[in-house]
Amino acid sequence: MNYQRFLEEAIDQVHAERRYRVFADLERIVGKFPRAIWRANGKAEEITVWCSNDYLGMGQHPDVVAAMQQAAGNMGTGAGGTRNISGNNHPLVELEHELADLHGKEAGLVFTSGFVSNEAAISTIGRLLPNCLILSDELNHASMIEGVRRSGAEKKVFRHNDVAHLESLLQAAGRERAKLIVFESVYSMDGDIAPIAEIADLAEKYNAMTYIDEVHAVGMYGGRGGGITEREGLAHRIDIIEGTLAKAFGTLGGYITGTRSVIDAVRSYAPGFIFTTALPPSIAAAATASIRHLKTSQAERDAQQRQATHTKQVLADAGLPVMESATHIVPILVGDPELCKMASDRLLGVHGIYIQPINYPTVPRGTERLRVTPTPFHSDALIAELKAALVETWNALGIPYRTEGHTEVPKSERIVSLLVPQSGG
């Protein structure tokens, strides 16, 4: 058997579908964020990153960097094992207490990534609840879909943010059956927000558990950065709140928070937690410093929201097809995979601006886009440069401008499998 041929044919298929991805070789510069060094073809060039998930620039905050350096200097680089085998370091224990407090929950549990936290928690809870039915929003992230799949539980997919459809599924299941509703607060490709209060109402009415993914909202919303659930005063009505340390908090890792029994059950039964080396103390200490800062500082959130709003307005005024978004996410519709990749390449090569192309299967075919994420450090001058570069790129490539007051595209179910994963963002 020619093993290599099968793998090469699989890659050829990705090329044929115009969704082969090339990673940019970037080196971020502390003190100059969002500037970075881009290395390609033996050259190094300073460019501006416009698609980072370090939404508040906390990855370069002096307190966060200092906490990481101090912990590494005191305790070394690695954790030294799984949580069961000497890896349960003190900064990690402190971090879990900080996360539980952030969301007003009894306990927290940290994983090595947001993907792992979703996959491990959802699959474990779905397995432990007898005859569990999992109800999943159709636009849930690949990590949530994988958790549902690995649970072995029956699943029903409800139309995106459609509470009437969700209620019909809950009603059909009945009050007595175990049910878990899994959904996100902020959907990162469109920037829309779930009807959390209505979903919580349905969960109470039909006796279901709720699991919300707040990865694109923690640090960003609420008086202390607890996410949309904190902003809307709903955290106490959600059973399990999941989040990440790798976006607004600027470090690495994922987590869940909930009652002690929920957290202890996942801790005790989830292979993705039990058999994985613990997060290093330096990363845990840095994450704790970031969370503590954002619990008391509103300056970063205010500045980020101001720059996101300004970016949307400037680009829309230029006639660019900015898609409607209720959050800090600024999607710009291209609508063609090859043009999307060409636009990204031109912005980087000609204008020194890096924006990753978002193509199928991360978004439905025909809705390919550039996804811009302004931070507090994207100044008005950088926003003006972005507008000029996008206009030049749109003109050079013949990409359509906006034809109405706003750009709207249909939201349809993402197709996902182990071989066709969604974006890690």
Side-chain angles (χ1 to χ4, degrees):
M1 178 177 286
N2 188 339
Y3 294 101
Q4 294 304 312
R5 179 172 63 84
F6 287 104
L7 300 177
E8 289 165 1
E9 287 176 354
I11 295 300
D12 288 343
Q13 181 66 26
V14 176
H15 279 287
E17 294 175 1
R18 302 293 192 269
R19 56 184 182 86
Y20 183 79
R21 299 179 182 185
V22 177
F23 300 150
D25 182 353
L26 302 176
E27 180 181 333
R28 305 204 309 167
I29 309 169
V30 171
K32 297 185 71 175
F33 182 80
R35 302 290 285 172
I37 296 169
W38 170 49
R39 289 184 169 83
N41 302 317
K43 296 187 295 185
E45 177 184 344
E46 193 170 306
I47 54 98
T48 303
V49 177
W50 270 98
C51 57
S52 174
N53 284 341
D54 188 359
Y55 293 138
L56 301 177
M58 292 301 293
Q60 65 159 9
H61 192 283
D63 292 350
V64 178
V65 174
M68 177 174 280
Q69 291 172 333
Q70 182 177 357
N74 291 341
M75 288 173 271
T77 55
T82 66
R83 297 289 289 273
N84 294 315
I85 308 174
S86 82
N88 191 40
N89 56 84
H90 182 62
L92 189 47
V93 174
E94 284 191 315
L95 173 59
E96 289 176 338
H97 289 315
E98 204 69 41
L99 289 165
D101 173 76
L102 176 66
H103 295 294
K105 300 298 183 185
E106 292 179 353
L109 191 66
V110 169
F111 299 79
T112 50
S113 75
F115 190 104
V116 175
S117 59
N118 271 333
E119 185 277 325
I122 294 171
S123 64
T124 300
I125 294 166
R127 282 198 311 273
L128 293 178
L129 296 177
N131 192 30
C132 182
L133 172 66
I134 301 180
L135 302 110
S136 177
D137 187 288
E138 69 176 343
L139 293 191
N140 277 342
H141 189 264
S143 57
M144 303 178 78
I145 295 170
E146 184 63 9
V148 173
R149 189 185 73 81
R150 292 182 67 85
S151 73
E154 183 184 359
K155 74 170 187 299
K156 296 288 185 182
V157 177
F158 61 92
R159 290 185 292 272
H160 180 53
N161 284 347
D162 189 335
V163 291
H165 188 209
L166 174 59
E167 180 165 22
S168 70
L169 297 173
L170 288 165
Q171 194 171 36
R175 280 186 54 82
E176 298 309 312
R177 185 176 184 182
K179 298 172 293 297
L180 178 66
I181 305 170
V182 296
F183 63 109
E184 301 182 39
S185 61
V186 172
Y187 289 85
S188 64
M189 290 302 122
D190 296 310
D192 56 341
I193 297 174
I196 302 172
E198 290 89 339
I199 291 175
D201 289 342
L202 291 177
E204 292 171 7
K205 181 178 179 180
Y206 293 99
N207 190 29
M209 286 187 71
T210 48
Y211 180 108
I212 193 168
D213 175 316
E214 286 255 44
V215 297
H216 291 278
V218 290
M220 302 291 292
Y221 301 96
R224 301 196 312 154
I228 301 295
T229 49
E230 184 196 10
R231 187 187 73 176
E232 299 182 3
L234 297 169
H236 66 288
R237 299 186 64 195
I238 302 298
D239 293 299
I240 302 141
I241 297 177
E242 186 266 353
T244 185
L245 306 168
K247 292 181 171 60
F249 294 129
T251 57
L252 179 72
Y255 65 88
I256 59 170
T257 62
T259 63
R260 287 187 180 88
S261 58
V262 166
I263 298 306
D264 205 17
V266 175
R267 182 187 72 86
S268 301
Y269 281 91
F273 175 82
I274 296 169
F275 299 105
T276 299
T277 298
L279 212 61
S282 57
I283 294 176
T288 298
S290 181
I291 295 165
R292 286 175 177 168
H293 176 84
L294 290 173
K295 280 181 176 178
T296 59
S297 175
Q298 188 66 26
E300 291 82 5
R301 286 187 283 274
D302 288 345
Q304 195 279 334
Q305 289 294 326
R306 182 175 61 250
Q307 296 312 97
T309 299
H310 185 54
T311 300
K312 291 177 185 178
Q313 190 62 57
V314 167
L315 301 186
D317 288 347
L320 291 158
V322 178
M323 299 165 63
E324 189 173 356
S325 165
T327 62
H328 57 283
I329 307 295
V330 185
I332 307 166
L333 182 66
V334 177
D336 178 272
E338 292 187 72
L339 282 177
C340 200
K341 178 66 167 61
M342 290 169 65
S344 177
D345 290 345
R346 185 174 186 85
L347 285 166
L348 185 57
V350 176
H351 300 283
I353 288 175
Y354 178 60
I355 309 174
Q356 180 191 18
I358 308 293
N359 290 338
Y360 174 85
T362 304
V363 295
R365 297 185 195 276
T367 70
E368 293 83 5
R369 68 200 66 178
L370 300 178
R371 177 178 171 272
V372 171
T373 53
T375 74
F377 300 93
H378 286 90
S379 64
D380 290 356
L382 288 178
I383 294 170
E385 290 178 9
L386 173 66
K387 181 202 76 171
L390 286 169
V391 167
E392 190 280 335
T393 298
W394 251 241
N395 291 337
L397 299 179
I399 303 173
Y401 280 79
R402 189 179 70 250
T403 56
E404 299 176 359
H406 66 276
T407 300
E408 186 172 349
V409 298
K411 295 177 174 69
S412 60
E413 184 173 359
R414 298 176 189 172
I415 300 172
V416 113
S417 74
L418 289 177
L419 293 181
V420 190
Q422 288 174 262
S423 167

